């Protein structure tokens, strides 16, 4: 180390303390305590950041724990990710399990197995997972596809299409604010989407051109152009559906 700020590299580990930079490479563990800049791709077993990390390259890691801000210019691939803060990804992201609170932004697609986030998700491409559980807001440039989708709307959200087996979209409770982002759920928060298609669908405060599925319930605050259902369809009093038909 150099004074109280510097870099340690030993036994395949990389440690940045304070404010400094390091080259990319293959490491067993990467630990950032402060403000770190890493130039080049990184392949590691574990990455832990408390502070700020700027990685000018791609990242591949089995475990990521981040408290603070991470910026990655390339793709990110990880097994387990625990986030408290912000992650900005310049390419595609493959995160098998993503948990925590904060903001995830990708300029490509976001794919994985389980996403359980309180906060915000933004992707310019598609978003796909087995389980998509979000309390907050999202903007998805393409398709949101998951076996189980459970969303609580805090602010206005946008996505081109939604596909899944079990889909639940509800307005968030106004008594449970997202204190991390210093905003409360908006009473008129709404999801705008072209097409929703699934097996079991329950939606609130949603504007959609087409909703198609086996069992569909259109709840309060919805404005739907066309509902196509196979088994059952229920519309709450405050919902508006222009046309519906059984397939």
């Amino acid at each position: 180390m150099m004074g109280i700020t510097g870099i340690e590299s030993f036994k395949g580990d990389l440690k940045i303390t304070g404010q400094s930079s390091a080259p990319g490479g293959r490491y067993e563990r990467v630990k950032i305590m402060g403000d770190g800049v890493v130039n080049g791709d990184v392949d590691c077993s574990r990455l832990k950041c408390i502070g700020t990390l700027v990685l000018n390259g791609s990242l591949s890691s089995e475990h990521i724990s981040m408290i603070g801000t991470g910026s990655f210019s390339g793709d990110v691939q990880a097994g387990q990710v625990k986030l408290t803060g912000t992650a900005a990804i310049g390419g595609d992201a493959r995160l098998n399990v993503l948990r925590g609170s904060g903001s995830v932004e990708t300029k490509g697609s976001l794919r994985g197995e389980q996403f359980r986030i309180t906060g915000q998700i933004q992707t310019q491409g598609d978003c796909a997972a087995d389980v998509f559980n979000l309390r907050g807001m999202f903007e998805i440039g393409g398709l949101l596809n998951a076996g189980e989708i459970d969303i609580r709307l805090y602010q206005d959200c946008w996505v081109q299409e939604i596909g899944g087996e079990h889909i639940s979209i509800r307005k968030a409770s106004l008594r449970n604010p997202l204190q991390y982002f210093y905003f409360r759920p908006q009473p008129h928060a709404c999801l705008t989407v072209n097409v929703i298609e699934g097996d079991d669908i329950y939606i609130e405060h949603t504007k959609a051109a087409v909703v198609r599925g086996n069992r569909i319930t259109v709840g309060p605050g919805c404005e739907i152009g066309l509902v196509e259902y196979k088994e059952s369809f229920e519309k709450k009093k405050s919902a508006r559906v222009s046309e519906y038909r059984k397939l």
Side-chain angles (χ1 to χ4, degrees), residues 12-225:
D13 292 350
L14 170 68
K15 182 177 180 181
I16 296 180
T17 304
Q19 184 175 1
S20 194
S21 62
R26 296 176 61 88
Y27 300 99
E28 179 63 25
R29 296 173 183 266
V30 175
K31 188 174 183 180
I32 312 295
M33 302 287 289
D35 297 327
V37 178
V38 178
N39 295 305
D41 297 341
V42 170
D43 187 342
C44 63
S45 175
R46 292 181 178 271
L47 183 147
K48 183 176 183 179
C49 174
I50 301 177
T52 301
L53 168 62
V54 176
L55 195 159
N56 297 312
S58 297
L59 170 66
S60 177
S61 181
E62 295 177 11
H63 299 272
I64 297 174
S65 175
M66 180 164 294
I67 301 175
T69 301
S71 175
F72 311 90
S73 66
D75 299 336
V76 174
Q77 180 173 340
Q80 303 275 339
V81 179
K82 186 176 181 180
L83 174 68
T84 304
T86 301
I89 300 167
D92 295 325
R94 170 73 191 196
L95 314 176
N96 286 349
V97 178
L98 170 63
R99 299 176 184 271
S101 59
S103 174
V104 178
E105 177 183 350
T106 71
K107 291 187 177 180
S109 63
L110 175 62
R111 302 181 185 277
E113 296 175 3
Q114 294 186 32
F115 298 156
R116 300 184 185 273
I117 286 290
T118 300
Q120 181 177 15
I121 288 180
Q122 291 181 294
T123 73
Q124 293 187 15
D126 297 334
C127 180
D130 294 333
V131 176
F132 184 88
N133 187 306
L134 176 70
R135 304 294 187 266
M137 57 185 293
F138 64 91
E139 297 181 17
I140 297 173
L143 167 69
L144 169 60
N145 184 25
E148 178 184 327
I149 296 174
D150 187 359
I151 295 169
R152 296 295 184 271
L153 301 171
Y154 277 69
Q155 292 192 353
D156 290 342
C157 301
W158 295 269
V159 60
Q160 291 292 328
E161 297 183 18
I162 294 177
E165 296 176 10
H166 304 283
I167 299 171
S168 174
I169 300 169
R170 301 173 184 266
K171 185 174 72 171
S173 170
L174 299 180
R175 295 174 294 178
N176 185 26
L178 278 177
Q179 296 180 357
Y180 183 86
F181 286 99
Y182 302 104
F183 67 76
R184 294 178 179 273
Q186 299 299 311
H188 303 294
C190 181
L191 166 64
T192 300
V193 55
N194 290 327
V195 178
I196 299 176
E197 187 164 358
D199 293 331
D200 294 287
I201 301 173
Y202 178 89
I203 54 176
E204 296 177 355
H205 297 270
T206 296
K207 296 179 180 178
V210 178
V211 177
R212 183 182 299 114
N214 293 335
R215 295 163 292 276
I216 300 173
T217 301
V218 177
C222 286
E223 297 180 15
I224 310 300

